[in-house]
Amino acid sequence: MQTTRTAKFLGLTIDSHLTFKDDVEERVQKGGRAAYTLIKLKRAGVLPTALVQVYCTRIRTIVSYTAPAWFTMISNTSLNKLEGLQMLCRRVTYPELRSYSERLTIAGITTLAVHLASCCEKYIQKTGLPTHRLSGRVPMKPDCHRVTRQKHHVTYKTALRKKSFFVSMFL
């Protein structure tokens, strides 16, 4: 049997080191191709508010598709690549503005890191609902006032793994 460096499962590319670099690259490439739509719409004279809607419904959904699986585990370099895609889209939408923060404020959206973190939080909240398929299978974060004993001590190879999705959201 042959081992592979990556595997694709439901649109998520998982690598052997759980860095998710390949999946982030794929999100950036797909989002970049979709960003070309913004450029064509801008040239056609579409209003900036409509361009923001196109960005949020088309490009941001591509970028955040598998975010709950990898967001807390990606490197700053990968996050910067994703944020760079949003910067490009904002620059196309509002070329007259100089700063990225001004463009975000006018568009009424947050940075991509904040958006992805909220996607993860919403997903975790959904799994706590009794109608969700993962209900009862995923341990929820304990209440702050409750003291819990840990029976098993877990060691992590890196600090990045220690703050992974499963560890940071469930323990």
Side-chain angles (χ1 to χ4, degrees), residues 79-94:
L79 185 58
N80 289 339
K81 287 180 183 179
L82 292 168
E83 198 74 52
L85 176 63
Q86 180 165 290
M87 287 179 187
L88 169 70
C89 294
R90 297 289 53 85
R91 198 168 40 248
V92 168
T93 308
Y94 299 106

Side-chain angles (χ1 to χ4, degrees), residues 123 125-137:
Y123 186 76
Q125 289 172 354
K126 282 182 188 177
T127 58
L129 297 175
T131 56
H132 196 277
R133 292 183 302 234
L134 294 177
S135 179
R137 294 188 175 111

Side-chain angles (χ1 to χ4, degrees), residues 20-64:
F20 297 97
K21 285 181 183 177
D22 294 337
D23 194 67
V24 169
E25 285 295 326
E26 186 178 333
R27 302 273 144 238
V28 170
Q29 286 177 359
K30 284 183 178 182
R33 286 192 297 267
Y36 185 66
T37 306
L38 281 181
I39 295 168
K40 292 192 320 190
L41 290 171
K42 180 71 174 179
R43 288 180 187 159
V46 175
L47 294 174
T49 53
L51 293 175
V52 170
Q53 287 178 340
V54 169
Y55 169 75
C56 289
T57 57
R58 173 102 170 100
I59 300 165
R60 222 176 199 193
T61 54
I62 291 170
V63 171
S64 60

